[in-house]
């Protein structure tokens, strides 16, 4: 039996007792039964709010799980920067390239440049780099001197 049903049952019992309406104890019993009814209603509303919030939290949790799948690798040991178009860590990012097709700015590590080419994570355009190892080393020395 729900709380509201129990409160209604008790109210019915009190009314069925045919108590003297002028007696002080009768007034107390009636007020208590009304209070129980109001409390049962409030608790029912709180339970409904709780259920609604629980459903919303479940939805947010599912959405977050989808984002985590996109951002984190399967072992959840850390960010999968390759899915984001980056190298292993932000500290490695020392170069930026703008894709001529879509205009996306891509941060690259020295290793990515040394590879000769990458695919743009947004439009899949192949971006090719033609650097000698000496040129990369000279640029790094120049940046270190700053």
């Amino acid at each position: 039996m729900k709380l509201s049903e129990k409160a209604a049952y008790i109210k019915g019992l009190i009314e069925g007792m045919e108590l003297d309406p002028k007696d002080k104890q009768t007034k107390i019993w009636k007020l208590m039964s009304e209070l129980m009814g109001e409390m049962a209603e409030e608790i029912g509303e709180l339970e409904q709010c709780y259920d609604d919030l629980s459903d919303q939290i479940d939805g947010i949790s599912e959405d977050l799980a989808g984002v985590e799948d996109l951002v984190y690798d399967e072992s959840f040991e850390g960010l999968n920067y390759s899915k984001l178009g980056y190298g292993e860590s932000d500290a490695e990012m020392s170069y930026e390239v703008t894709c001529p097709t879509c205009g996306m700015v891509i941060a690259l590590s020295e290793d990515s440049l040394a590879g000769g080419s990458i695919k743009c994570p947004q439009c899949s355009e192949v971006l090719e780099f033609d650097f000698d190892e000496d040129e990369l080393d000279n640029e790094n020395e120049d940046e270190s001197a700053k």
Side-chain angles (χ1 to χ4, degrees):
M1 199 182 302
K2 292 184 178 180
L3 285 177
S4 58
E5 294 169 344
K6 287 180 182 180
Y9 176 74
I10 291 172
K11 185 177 182 180
L13 286 176
I14 292 171
E15 289 174 358
M17 290 175 61
E18 298 178 8
L19 299 172
D20 181 19
K22 294 179 183 175
D23 188 20
K24 291 180 182 180
Q25 290 181 355
T26 303
K27 291 179 185 179
I28 291 173
W29 284 109
K30 286 188 177 187
L31 288 173
M32 285 178 53
S33 70
E34 287 176 17
L35 177 64
M36 282 190 291
E38 290 174 13
M39 289 172 64
E41 279 183 42
E42 288 291 323
I43 291 172
E45 289 175 14
L46 288 172
E47 287 174 341
Q48 183 60 45
C49 289
Y50 171 80
D51 290 341
D52 293 344
L53 285 173
S54 181
D55 291 343
Q56 288 177 353
I57 289 171
D58 289 344
I60 291 170
S61 180
E62 289 172 10
D63 292 344
L64 182 59
V67 171
E68 286 173 343
D69 288 345
L70 290 174
V71 176
Y72 290 97
D73 63 10
E74 291 179 10
S75 64
F76 293 97
E77 293 175 2
L79 284 174
N80 187 347
Y81 288 93
S82 63
K83 287 185 179 180
L84 300 172
Y86 299 115
E88 282 295 312
S89 71
D90 290 332
E92 283 185 11
M93 307 304 156
S94 55
Y95 302 97
E96 287 186 351
V97 177
T98 303
C99 177
T101 305
C102 67
M104 180 178 180
V105 177
I106 306 165
L108 300 172
S109 67
E110 197 171 307
D111 294 337
S112 298
L113 286 176
S117 67
I118 63 162
K119 267 189 173 181
C120 175
Q122 184 167 334
C123 69
S124 298
E125 176 74 23
V126 176
L127 306 175
E128 295 182 5
F129 311 106
D130 188 21
F131 291 108
D132 292 334
E133 287 293 322
D134 294 337
E135 288 180 23
L136 287 175
D137 291 337
N138 289 339
E139 274 189 37
N140 284 337
E141 290 173 8
D142 292 343
E143 288 180 14
S144 299
K146 292 181 182 177

